[in-house]
Amino acid sequence: MKTSFYQYNFKELTKILEENDLSVSGASLLFNWHYKQKNIEPCTHNLALATQEYLRENFNFELPIIIDVHESSDHTAKFLIQMSDGLKVETVLIPFQNKYTICLSTQVGCAMKCSFCFTGTQGLKRHLATHEIVGQFILADRWLKKQRPADHQLKNIVYMGQGEPLHNFDAVKTSIEIFLDQHGTSIGVQKITVSTAGYLPGLLRWNNEIPGVNIALSLHSSIEEKRNKLIPINQRYPLEEILKYLDLIPLKRKQYVIYEYLLIKNFNDSDFDAHATGELLKGKQAIINLIPFNPFPGTEYERPENIRVEAFQKILESYKLPALIRGTKGDDILAACGQLNTKI
Ligand code: SAH
């Protein structure tokens, strides 16, 4: 069976060429052709005929397909993307000034079953392969170039779509290596952020295997019992343990661990909760992203009033912790955080 071209990082591709007695310079030509120039048809330009033939016989260049696009009034675009086995995931392009951030999915559904998350209600169907993660980027980038050529700039990547990225570590890692590679898209290491619910086995591999990339923890409560209710894997990998490992991540100047804090009315949004979070994170190289809960069909949780969100922010700032309120984008098309669900 043919494997996808989009499955391999630069080193792996070079090795494949080498093992098949093909010129290794083909790897940089191919990365340039597919990732920098963003061509999707097989490369014929400057590439040795023997390599072209090898690729034709052993690789496929198929991509998932966009089957639906929802464009929000704030220019957020949500794509429904179908893989070759018919399963679907969502990818979101989020505008910021005239640049875009892409929010990638890493699994079909999710095994974490967080009580506030729409994706979690789906359960885990399967992991995405590297080429399906990379494919989301390529498809969205091509769409942007065609539909909005004036502001076609995709330079930030967040792994914050459907799924728990650290639960699908190998595929996520290779996709990051592809995005970072200087022969291809050459995305800056600090322009990539991976968000985790606190999946410890992945965190244990982080420092050695994905150095320099930003990490975000979905904190949501600093109180273990409350966090257990929101994020069930906290029972297995408690916050205290997770923080120990996060503290070991070497950070550059002006690099931070991002703590995402979902604010749910009358559950984790009190002054007491804010002080507990301030105490827990004070002194750390941390940024807190406050995310007012985004409702979805069937949820019992509610979003707090803005004034409560601002009060929470003020308390955190009194601990010298920068706390940003994440503006909700795309909520009119259910594209905001936690609203991605391919079942409906
Ligand atoms: N599994 C990873 C990646 C998903 S990121 C993680 O948990 O971090 C998606 C972000 O949106 C997470 O911070 C998640 O907690 C948040 N989120 C989930 N449901 C939400 C909702 N209904 N409203 C607002 N944010 C939500």
Side-chain angles (χ1 to χ4, degrees):
M1 212 180 81
K2 293 185 182 182
T3 49
S4 171
F5 169 81
Y6 303 104
Q7 190 66 16
Y8 300 105
N9 67 25
F10 188 77
K11 219 167 130 196
E12 291 162 344
L13 185 63
T14 307
K15 191 156 166 253
I16 292 174
L17 296 176
E18 206 171 14
E19 284 171 355
N20 289 282
D21 294 325
L22 297 164
S23 161
V24 292
S25 65
S28 51
L29 283 174
L30 285 162
F31 259 58
N32 187 314
W33 177 262
H34 288 288
Y35 293 122
K36 193 171 270 167
Q37 297 179 37
K38 315 259 169 44
N39 295 303
I40 54 169
E41 63 282 5
C43 175
T44 48
H45 191 69
N46 284 345
L47 192 64
L49 285 176
T51 308
Q52 291 185 34
E53 196 183 319
Y54 177 82
L55 293 175
R56 240 191 332 269
E57 278 168 13
N58 296 284
F59 281 27
N60 75 63
F61 293 86
E62 282 156 28
L63 288 165
I65 44 177
I66 298 177
I67 55 172
D68 207 0
V69 185
H70 288 277
E71 292 180 69
S72 157
S73 48
D74 64 20
H75 289 123
T76 299
K78 179 171 82 162
F79 303 90
L80 186 60
I81 291 184
Q82 182 171 300
M83 268 94 44
S84 58
D85 62 357
L87 288 175
K88 301 176 194 86
V89 288
E90 286 173 323
T91 304
V92 186
L93 276 179
I94 309 152
F96 181 68
Q97 286 152 5
N98 58 353
K99 294 202 185 83
Y100 285 84
T101 295
I102 188 166
C103 178
L104 297 173
S105 290
T106 56
Q107 297 175 316
V108 185
C110 186
M112 301 296 121
K113 298 229 174 299
C114 299
S115 61
F116 50 82
C117 179
F118 202 16
T119 307
T121 63
Q122 276 185 286
L124 178 66
K125 296 265 166 33
R126 70 166 171 88
H127 292 307
L128 293 188
T130 298
H131 66 90
E132 293 166 329
I133 300 173
V134 172
Q136 295 170 56
F137 180 95
I138 295 177
L139 292 174
D141 190 83
R142 290 177 65 84
W143 181 89
L144 204 52
K145 188 173 176 187
K146 192 155 168 238
Q147 303 296 328
R148 302 182 189 166
D151 50 17
H152 166 235
Q153 280 220 63
L154 183 44
K155 295 225 171 349
N156 284 282
I157 301 180
V158 297
Y159 286 77
M160 296 189 183
Q162 287 163 313
E164 165 52 44
L166 296 189
H167 187 214
N168 185 14
F169 196 95
D170 292 323
V172 166
K173 177 184 163 186
T174 309
S175 69
I176 291 174
E177 289 166 345
I178 293 172
F179 293 135
L180 292 175
D181 202 283
Q182 50 172 2
H183 302 91
T185 45
S186 197
I187 304 270
V189 70
Q190 293 207 30
K191 305 275 186 204
I192 302 182
T193 303
V194 174
S195 179
T196 178
Y199 187 72
L200 190 61
L203 271 185
L204 295 178
R205 296 175 59 184
W206 184 264
N207 275 344
N208 284 334
E209 298 188 49
I210 315 189
V213 170
N214 298 311
I215 190 123
L217 175 73
S218 290
L219 176 65
H220 307 340
S221 178
S222 305
I223 301 161
E224 300 272 8
E225 306 83 72
K226 266 194 202 184
R227 198 166 185 271
N228 284 341
K229 291 210 178 100
L230 296 170
I231 305 177
I233 59 150
N234 192 64
Q235 293 162 37
R236 193 138 143 229
Y237 309 121
L239 180 59
E240 199 189 342
E241 193 100 339
I242 299 292
L243 292 178
K244 265 202 298 219
Y245 286 97
L246 287 180
D247 287 345
L248 294 175
I249 295 178
L251 298 171
K252 299 209 184 79
R253 228 169 61 86
K254 295 215 171 141
Q255 191 187 11
Y256 305 88
V257 171
I258 300 156
Y259 292 87
E260 295 157 290
Y261 195 106
L262 175 70
L263 284 158
I264 301 172
K265 188 173 182 174
N266 298 332
F267 184 80
N268 64 356
D269 64 342
S270 69
D271 287 358
F272 179 82
D273 290 281
H275 283 291
T277 304
E279 288 295 337
L280 187 76
L281 300 182
K282 73 177 175 199
K284 294 192 197 293
Q285 224 169 305
I287 285 190
I288 302 165
N289 265 343
L290 297 172
I291 319 172
F293 176 68
N294 291 316
F296 54 83
T299 181
E300 63 194 85
Y301 294 132
E302 288 172 53
R303 169 193 292 236
E305 319 297 330
N306 287 347
I307 181 163
R308 184 79 304 267
V309 176
E310 282 156 23
F312 201 95
Q313 179 188 34
K314 284 239 157 56
I315 292 174
L316 291 174
E317 283 172 350
S318 74
Y319 287 85
K320 300 210 162 37
L321 290 163
L324 315 168
I325 300 171
R326 192 186 279 175
T328 297
K329 294 211 165 146
D331 57 343
D332 55 340
I333 53 167
L334 277 187
C337 300
Q339 293 185 311
L340 303 182
N341 186 310
T342 35
K343 245 186 359 201
I344 51 166

